[in-house]
Amino acid sequence: MNTNVVAQINGVNILASSQSEGLVPVKPVCEALGIAYESQVNKIKEHPIFGSSILLRDMVAADGKKREMICLSIEVFPGWLFSINPQNVKEEAKLVLMAFQFQCNKVLFHYFFGSQQKQLEQNQIEINLLENIAKLDQQKAAINCELSEMKRKLNQLREERLKNEPSLF
């Protein structure tokens, strides 16, 4: 079975199978974070989403030997890591876990609210354009009014010029 590094936690490479199912063993992650493997497995089993993705598979362990390990689907692995309280992990793993969880929050926000933010930005652009159009319409009306007045004066001047033709008698 081929594996790929999917994360590095506290200097430990976390491997996932490269098969289509993409599985991540739980035990090496627990060891890297310094949390109790057995209690995490129980929490995972009790969780309605994580529990449904647990699989028992032969994986290559850190010592290079094949061992049967409890694994999570790569799809739910980030959610499980996100659920771990940083206060419960090794001191040297806290910052890495918190950085990961912060990034998860950003990704979730952009996924769920990014379109709303874009809509708000587009609404503001539309409001600005409408305000500019209204100002230009007012300017256009003022220009048209001034143009009409100038044309009226020009016509008046022409009429007066034609009326004041010199006459000899």
Side-chain angles (χ1 to χ4, degrees), residues 1-163:
M1 176 185 305
N2 293 331
T3 58
N4 294 320
V5 175
V6 292
Q8 189 175 55
I9 301 172
N10 203 21
V12 176
N13 287 336
I14 306 302
L15 305 175
S17 68
S18 58
Q19 294 177 340
S20 61
E21 55 194 30
L23 300 173
V24 180
V26 173
K27 189 170 187 173
V29 176
C30 291
E31 290 171 352
L33 293 174
I35 54 178
Y37 169 70
E38 293 79 16
S39 67
Q40 285 300 314
V41 168
N42 288 334
K43 287 179 185 178
I44 291 168
K45 285 180 180 178
E46 291 171 3
H47 193 281
I49 296 170
F50 305 148
S52 66
S53 75
I54 287 180
L55 295 168
L56 201 55
R57 290 289 190 269
D58 285 336
M59 299 287 284
V60 178
D63 61 6
K65 295 181 182 177
K66 260 190 180 181
R67 291 209 166 68
E68 195 170 66
M69 294 188 188
I70 291 178
C71 299
L72 280 174
S73 161
I74 190 77
E75 290 178 341
V76 300
F77 173 70
W80 170 61
L81 277 182
F82 188 68
S83 74
I84 296 172
N85 186 339
Q87 298 301 324
N88 298 335
V89 302
K90 291 180 186 176
E91 193 63 38
E92 58 269 20
K94 280 183 185 179
L95 291 178
V96 173
L97 181 63
M98 288 170 42
F100 170 82
Q101 291 175 343
F102 180 75
Q103 188 64 31
C104 284
N105 275 313
K106 283 178 62 175
V107 168
L108 288 170
F109 173 80
H110 288 293
Y111 179 81
F112 287 108
F113 299 105
S115 61
Q116 287 181 349
Q117 182 65 31
K118 185 177 180 180
Q119 185 65 44
L120 290 173
E121 290 170 2
Q122 289 176 335
N123 288 350
Q124 189 57 52
I125 291 169
E126 183 178 0
I127 288 168
N128 293 342
L129 288 171
L130 288 170
E131 287 172 348
N132 288 336
I133 289 170
K135 285 178 188 176
L136 290 172
D137 277 342
Q138 288 175 348
Q139 291 173 354
K140 179 182 171 185
I143 289 170
N144 283 338
C145 185
E146 189 175 343
L147 182 62
S148 293
E149 181 61 22
M150 287 182 176
K151 285 180 179 179
R152 186 191 63 75
K153 286 180 180 179
L154 178 63
N155 287 337
Q156 185 180 15
L157 180 68
R158 286 177 177 164
E159 285 177 16
E160 286 179 16
R161 188 179 61 217
L162 292 174
K163 284 182 187 177

